[in-house]
Amino acid sequence: QVQLQESGPGLVKPSQTLSLTCTVSGGSVSSGSYFWAWIRQPAGKKLEWIGRVYTSGSTYYNPSLKSRVTMSIDTSKNQFSLKLTSVTAADTAVYYCATLTWKVARMDVWGKGTTVTVSS
Amino acid sequence: QSVLTQPPSASGTPGQRVTISCSGSSSNTGTNSVNWYQQLPGTAPKLLIYSNNQRPSGVPDRFSGSKSGTSASLAISGLQSEDEADFYCAAWDDNLNGPVFGGGTKLTVL
């Protein structure tokens, strides 16, 4: 059973870059069974899909965040990562990594989530 | 404003049946299947229903889903106190080329 765990700084200063990593256990990022996705949820608000990366390294981002987002995959560490540049308070949220079945919005496995606060 | 529209709240007493609606458009729920997620307080969302009406292993059959046209519904029968949670619908959006979510429905068990 695949399990996911997010990690990264809980506090980021405005205008800086948010960097998170999701470590995969019980499975391999190279398996090709899933796409690997990032989703975020501001406090008291709805879920927002940020984007996805595939085992090949191909990516697709939500157009609303595309100019600031980079995702990558590290098969040697069995991890995938998220970078979000030029953050503002509006980027404060719980960030989740999840598996994603393409074209069906099905996210079977989620990490527990990590809270990122943007503040000086 | 969410792409998928859900009522912000729903409630019921133990043992009752409650339904939660989800309304979208031709680019998402009208064309693609709907999934439902349950988010217990302080936890990550959990897949509850996929492909409109399929339950992942381990999800009780008290939970059921349906879809007609651009609308979908989640039904919970035999309501239990532990069902108190936020419920989100989600569907693939062909314009976004990614998943979109409803605004969430907070279920209260009275």
Side-chain angles (χ1 to χ4, degrees):
Chain A
Q1 174 74 353
V2 172
Q3 293 183 307
L4 306 176
Q5 178 67 59
E6 306 88 349
S7 59
L11 180 65
V12 181
K13 289 182 167 49
S15 80
Q16 293 192 342
T17 297
L18 178 161
S19 295
L20 296 175
T21 296
C22 183
T23 300
V24 179
S25 59
S28 171
V29 293
S30 302
S31 71
S33 299
Y34 302 112
F35 289 82
W36 306 98
W38 288 95
I39 299 104
R40 69 180 183 179
Q41 184 175 34
K45 295 188 178 180
K46 73 179 183 79
L47 299 159
E48 179 182 31
W49 176 67
I50 300 171
R52 61 82 172 161
V53 60
Y54 191 55
T55 182
S56 62
S58 72
T59 55
Y60 194 89
Y61 307 134
N62 188 323
S64 68
L65 297 167
K66 182 179 179 180
S67 63
R68 299 194 292 130
V69 172
T70 303
M71 294 182 186
S72 60
I73 198 161
D74 187 335
T75 55
S76 66
K77 294 182 179 179
N78 218 27
Q79 295 175 334
F80 60 103
S81 299
L82 167 69
K83 290 187 187 300
L84 182 65
T85 62
S86 305
V87 297
T88 69
D91 296 309
T92 294
V94 177
Y95 285 75
Y96 296 101
C97 58
T99 61
L100 171 66
T101 302
W102 197 240
K103 294 293 187 182
V104 293
R106 176 177 169 177
M107 287 152 274
D108 288 82
V109 181
W110 296 66
K112 292 182 179 180
T114 188
T115 300
V116 178
T117 302
V118 179
S119 175
S120 55
Chain B
Q1 188 173 353
S2 302
V3 176
L4 305 183
T5 301
Q6 297 179 236
S9 63
S11 63
T13 56
Q16 268 191 333
R17 181 178 187 270
V18 298
T19 61
I20 298 171
S21 62
C22 173
S23 178
S25 67
S26 58
S27 65
N28 41 68
T29 57
T31 307
N32 302 304
S33 61
V34 175
N35 307 296
W36 290 89
Y37 297 87
Q38 178 189 42
Q39 187 174 33
L40 296 168
T43 69
K46 166 193 165 186
L47 180 66
L48 192 66
I49 297 286
Y50 67 96
S51 296
N52 303 325
N53 55 19
Q54 301 299 302
R55 286 185 306 277
S57 174
V59 173
D61 59 6
R62 302 186 296 105
F63 296 92
S64 62
S66 63
K67 194 188 94 164
S68 179
T70 58
S71 294
S73 291
L74 172 70
I76 308 169
S77 60
L79 199 61
Q80 300 179 4
S81 58
E82 55 261 40
D83 296 335
E84 216 168 70
D86 292 327
F87 292 85
Y88 293 89
C89 60
W92 194 264
D93 189 281
D94 293 333
N95 291 337
L96 174 66
N97 203 17
V100 290
F101 294 91
T105 299
K106 184 175 184 60
L107 174 65
T108 301
V109 181
L110 302 169

